[in-house]
Amino acid sequence: MKVLGIETSCDETAAAVVADGRTVISQVIASQIATHERFGGVVPEVASRQHIETVTRVVEQALREAGMNWGDLDGIAVTCGPGLLGALLVGVSAAKGYALATGLPLVGVHHIAGHVAAACLANDVSFPALALVVSGGHTEILEVDALFRFTKLGGTKDDAAGEAYDKVARLVGLTYPGGPKVDKLAQTGNPEAYAFPRAFLEEDNFDFSFSGLKSAVANEVAKRRQRGETIRIADVCASFQQAVIDVLVEKIARAVHTTGRRVVVLAGGVAANHGLRTALAARAAVDGFILHVPPLTLCTDNAAMIAAAGTFLLRAGVRHNLSLNAHATLSLGDWQAGRV
Ligand code: KG4
Ligand code: ZN
């Protein structure tokens, strides 16, 4: 089964062809980072316009690189939420247009379901499982039953983990998106140089909070600058990252013990973080749970993960018609109930 995936929820215009939900045949990502970098973050209106200019070329390139025509495909999957509304609309409209023109079945995919499917592209994931979703817009622990039936155990009360990375990066003068740069610098810094807070660590829930951590970093940097002290940016990055990792690892390990589920899937852009991957793998070995991480190239937004998720849904008989819409704040519950 060959499925075309389209993803335009934020600042990547992406298309990919995936076979049987397992093999990436082609994948094209037109990143808008260069456009948004000078603004320090994604400008929604600019993102929408760039998606419009790029989406058909990206889809055509994905088909060309796969050596396929429309007749070789079995379905079209597109991110229908959550994300930037104008950006999502471009992908959804394009997918509906292609479905109408080709007669191929269409399925709208929740962005988080896509991120979870990224881990399934490289690994034999058995369900039930738990998912630790850490991206620029989400930080959540989910129970995943049969593939794509999700129950939320907890999530962030304020900033997402990736958002905290990007904000801390900006504080220490690194450009957007800061996550990968903080990750790299953290590898050369001392994680114990600064004692940053670990919010909710002692609390008996699966919730997170990262805005206090970000403020603590801001205060520390401002205080030292005021005193004329030199700040080792690598130490700030390493200490910040350690605080994030400590909380994420502890909470997902606790979720394993509480639910009895022994399979954990790591998902989202922050899943590319080297420190987090290493720390989680170490904890999995000690606590005896199975950890599945996506390949590095499939952690941040891409369309292969949407095609993979779409394949499982199409196989299960899920179809959406041309009334499929884009939803900026789509919940997993609404999506699962077909309210799209
Ligand atoms: O999943 P994603 O591409 O977009 C959303 O759905 O939000 O995640 C992007 C986020 C950004 O905040 C980016 O800084 C962060 O993931 N990120 C990282 C790393 N690579 C990307 N954060 C920490 N370490 C990384 N290596
Ligand atoms: Zn994402």
Side-chain angles (χ1 to χ4, degrees), residues 226-247:
Q226 240 169 21
R227 289 191 201 144
E229 294 174 20
T230 48
I231 311 153
R232 271 206 77 216
I233 291 177
D235 287 348
V236 175
C237 292
S239 303
F240 158 77
Q241 176 156 304
Q242 195 58 51
V244 174
I245 291 174
D246 283 354
V247 179

Side-chain angles (χ1 to χ4, degrees), residues 78 80 92 95-96 106-109 320-327 340:
V78 63
C80 59
V92 169
K96 288 202 288 190
L106 171 72
V107 65
V109 174
H320 293 128
N321 59 28
L322 296 180
S323 65
L324 176 70
N325 211 342
H327 303 271
V340 290

Side-chain angles (χ1 to χ4, degrees), residues 56-206:
T56 48
R57 274 186 287 141
V58 166
V59 167
E60 281 159 17
Q61 193 182 334
L63 283 176
R64 200 166 52 243
E65 286 182 11
M68 286 183 191
N69 294 311
W70 289 99
D72 300 316
L73 293 173
D74 301 292
I76 300 172
V78 63
T79 309
C80 59
L84 302 171
L85 186 59
L88 287 164
L89 267 172
V90 176
V92 169
S93 306
K96 288 202 288 190
Y98 289 129
L100 181 65
T102 60
L104 286 167
L106 171 72
V107 65
V109 174
H110 192 286
H111 186 74
I112 294 302
H115 273 302
V116 173
C120 305
L121 269 163
N123 308 293
D124 266 321
V125 182
S126 61
F127 295 89
L130 291 169
L132 174 61
V133 180
V134 276
S135 72
H138 297 263
T139 305
E140 285 163 11
I141 293 181
L142 306 168
E143 286 184 310
V144 193
D145 272 337
L147 192 48
F148 303 116
R149 298 259 319 271
F150 298 90
T151 311
K152 186 170 163 177
L153 293 183
T156 184
K157 295 291 179 195
D158 40 58
D159 291 355
E163 195 180 350
Y165 264 94
D166 295 336
K167 287 177 175 171
V168 163
R170 190 132 56 124
L171 279 170
V172 295
L174 303 169
T175 53
Y176 175 85
K181 292 163 192 139
V182 172
D183 184 7
K184 195 147 180 255
L185 277 169
Q187 290 168 37
T188 64
N190 173 9
E192 286 165 14
Y194 301 95
F196 293 134
R198 274 96 168 129
F200 294 168
L201 190 59
E202 304 308 330
E203 282 176 40
D204 190 19
N205 60 28
F206 300 111

